[in-house]
Amino acid sequence: MEASVEQLVFVREDEYTVARMSADGEPSFVASGRALAGAQPGETLRLTGEWDDHPRFGRRFATTGCERIVPSTVRAIRLYLGSGLIRGIGPRLAQAIVEHFGESSLEVIDARPARLREVVNIGPVRQAQIVAAWREQKAIAALMVTLQGFGVSPLLATKIYQVFGADAAEVLRSDPYRLVGQVRGIAFATADRIALASGVPESSPQRIKAAILDRLETAAARDGHCYLTMRALLTHTVELVEQDEDLVRAMVDALASELQVVIEDGPVVYAKGLHARETRLAAELGRLWRAPSTLPMRRYDEDPALDDDQRAAVTMALTSTVSVLTGGPGSGKSRTVRAIAATVRAMGGAVTLAAPTGKAAKRLSELAGLPAMTIHRLLAHQPDPDTLFDETPAAADLIVIDEASMLDLNLATRLCSAVPSGSHLLLVGDQDQLPSIGPGSVLADLLRVEEIPRVSLTRVYRQADGSGIVEAAHRIQSGALPYVPGGGGFWFEELDDPEAVADRVVHLATEAIPRKQGVDPGQVQVLCPMRKGATGTVELGRRLQERRNPLSPGAAEHWSGASVFRVGDRVMPIRNDYDKGVFNGETGTVTAVHLEDRTVEVLIDDGDLVSYGFDELDDLAHAYAVSVHRAQGSEYPFVVAPLVAESGGIMLRRRLLYTLVTRARSWVVLVGQREALELAVQRLGHRRNTALPHRLAAVL
């Protein structure tokens, strides 16, 4: 049958789609199936399948095949043009175009676009905008058909077009391995499927080259490694391409001669960019460490309220141009930073406080009693992290970076490159928290270099406030189960079935805790160790969104992949965008969904209003359920988290559990399997491959 998409009802991450459809003169109906993947409201589809009766949702058309066709009736054309698929045309203008051109409307836009000016409110600028959007949609539709022919998700078509534009079809045909690393969501396996189906030989140089670079990129993105040993790289690549090891080794050598990878003694292999950053970071830290201090030194009076370690930290920060202050929750790090900053200012020096995320910066400001900013805003004049690090210096006598465990190699290099010689750089963090999302382990690496001054605060001060969170965190840190007698801020509720765990987490976050504590559900944050599964961020986030922000009648919404965006949604950018001035880890609220302009407006919590095109929504994630990694640097009044050993509990590690528990200010409730809790406490995780300590030892 042929029918138009009226509304997307549901899209699952595996692309299973449910849509409300309509055909001329017929009552609307529901169609479902993975064949509908990528369907958008307004499109006309030729569906193949059969009717069935779902026990819960009733009669629907189970779709096994789907072909996009050009709308031919006046009604279908009006629905297509008014759906927002063609940027610049909304429902009113669609009505005007169809009233003027009738069934020829699409033919006019395609072949005789100058005639569009016959319609009121269409001038040269609007005409050009409509024609460009029309051609883009045609190209994307053609890419979707091509991808489906390769057995690849059609949802990738828009992303491919964004990167390669009019050359997208040629890239797919001639060198699909170019997609790897350039198009988000396309790893080697997807590009390889396209290439092999296109006749590329399994032993082709381009295939081996792409596989090697993919293994290095995967090691950095998934495991945080800056390099792989030659043996590991060869083994992983051979497993991926199933080719002779000598062939792979020869390509590694060729890539080194092309300066795309760097081979060092060991031997170990770096992607070129990571090697440059690690080398640069060591050099910049060496420069700062050797530079004479410009801090105006005077005699200062020691604060009698500080303990010996805290006073030692003050002395260290005043006398060392590079130093590290560490400590667990409740150990007085913030109080010590406040004392250091006050002392420097009393001496006439300037102090800058910064942290990796907006929430961490806000918390630092509140605790230290001084303004603080994100590191990204400190370096905002540097728009591209891949340029030559020509930052304007972050000028201050003392620069304090909180939550330093979150510093990855890229951000740390940019930061240190911007600090002028003679300024004091103090990194503050908790070495037991998770390492950065990006590659490297900067804080841990600095602590391995004896020449770098450091003070570790071990005395616990925040125990007397009635919260069991600190006690639970310290028990986890020592390898013990976080049992807290009498509750007191920490609670573990044991359930075995993952589905029951998910149900309980949703109930606690949306009803039980808000009702008992007398707070808004927005004060309760769900944190997840995993992304997938019944207790992962995707599924729990979807369920929480439906509870907290269901679709209002007549309100606009837009589906991007398996995510739907509505006014009122809590979201977070997951990629730095220097043009928009938003950075990974910030949070905001959707304030508008403009179907005609194909944009979503987001009010960032710091007050900035930013706009995302529908083709940019991969850069936004919903914030109803957040991964523990993305919660670093943030603190929430109440935290609820599922703990299950699905998929072997691959993410369950002591540092992850410790970080999760310490994100809560008043209460943290863990729901799940005791075996998962025990697994998380026992597992220590892997050490990242970095050579920063070795490089620092050579320059200090």
Side-chain angles (χ1 to χ4, degrees), residues 121-387:
N121 293 327
I122 297 183
V125 175
R126 178 67 66 87
Q127 175 206 334
Q129 182 184 33
I130 291 171
V131 171
W134 166 260
R135 289 174 179 167
E136 177 180 310
Q137 283 300 315
K138 283 186 65 177
I140 291 173
L143 282 176
M144 294 177 81
V145 173
T146 301
L147 291 173
Q148 284 178 310
F150 289 123
V152 174
S153 169
L155 295 179
L156 295 171
T158 299
K159 299 179 184 179
I160 295 172
Y161 188 86
Q162 280 180 259
V163 175
F164 296 105
D167 297 328
E170 175 61 21
V171 170
L172 280 178
R173 186 190 66 79
S174 63
D175 189 6
Y177 293 110
R178 287 180 61 191
L179 303 175
V180 182
Q182 294 194 58
V183 181
R184 193 184 308 180
I186 296 186
F188 176 83
T190 299
D192 199 41
R193 180 184 302 172
I194 297 171
L196 294 178
S198 302
V200 174
E202 292 185 355
S203 60
S204 69
Q206 62 181 143
R207 181 172 187 251
I208 307 301
K209 173 181 175 180
I212 292 168
L213 296 176
D214 175 75
R215 292 301 83 190
L216 290 171
E217 172 63 28
T218 299
R222 185 187 63 195
D223 300 319
H225 294 317
C226 294
Y227 66 80
L228 285 176
T229 65
M230 179 67 79
R231 172 45 43 207
L233 177 60
L234 294 177
T235 299
H236 296 334
T237 307
V238 166
E239 290 176 353
L240 188 62
V241 298
E242 298 181 337
Q243 296 296 305
D244 186 76
E245 183 176 301
D246 290 340
L247 188 64
V248 175
R249 177 60 193 257
M251 180 53 68
V252 174
D253 292 337
L255 288 172
S257 65
E258 296 172 11
L259 298 180
Q260 290 187 263
V261 303
V262 177
I263 302 176
E264 287 196 338
D265 292 341
V268 300
V269 185
Y270 283 83
K272 179 185 175 183
L274 288 178
H275 183 269
R277 283 174 173 77
E278 190 175 83
T279 304
R280 179 65 181 269
L281 178 56
E284 295 295 347
L285 284 167
R287 171 182 63 85
L288 296 175
W289 186 80
R290 292 188 302 269
S293 170
T294 59
L295 182 67
M297 286 300 294
R298 302 175 190 167
R299 183 182 180 278
Y300 69 94
D301 296 325
E302 292 186 348
D303 185 346
L306 300 180
D307 65 27
D308 290 344
D309 287 340
Q310 291 171 326
R311 284 194 288 271
V314 175
T315 301
M316 174 187 71
L318 296 178
T319 57
S320 303
T321 50
V322 177
S323 57
V324 179
L325 173 63
T326 65
S331 62
K333 294 193 301 295
S334 298
R335 184 178 186 179
T336 306
V337 168
R338 187 164 60 242
I340 293 170
T343 302
V344 171
R345 295 182 69 183
M347 292 179 171
V351 178
T352 293
L353 304 183
T357 67
K359 284 192 174 182
K362 182 178 180 181
R363 183 166 169 241
L364 174 62
S365 178
E366 293 170 349
L367 294 172
L370 290 171
M373 68 185 81
T374 65
I375 299 172
H376 300 291
R377 295 195 186 283
L378 180 67
L379 307 173
H381 31 256
Q382 174 59 31
D384 185 352
D386 292 321
T387 58

Side-chain angles (χ1 to χ4, degrees), residues 669-684:
V669 181
L670 307 181
V671 182
Q673 302 159 346
R674 180 166 294 275
E675 65 173 298
L677 181 62
E678 293 172 348
L679 195 63
V681 170
Q682 293 165 5
R683 280 183 176 170
L684 296 179

Side-chain angles (χ1 to χ4, degrees), residues 386-400:
D386 292 321
T387 58
L388 298 178
F389 302 108
D390 56 347
E391 290 88 352
T392 301
D397 296 295
L398 171 68
I399 298 171
V400 180

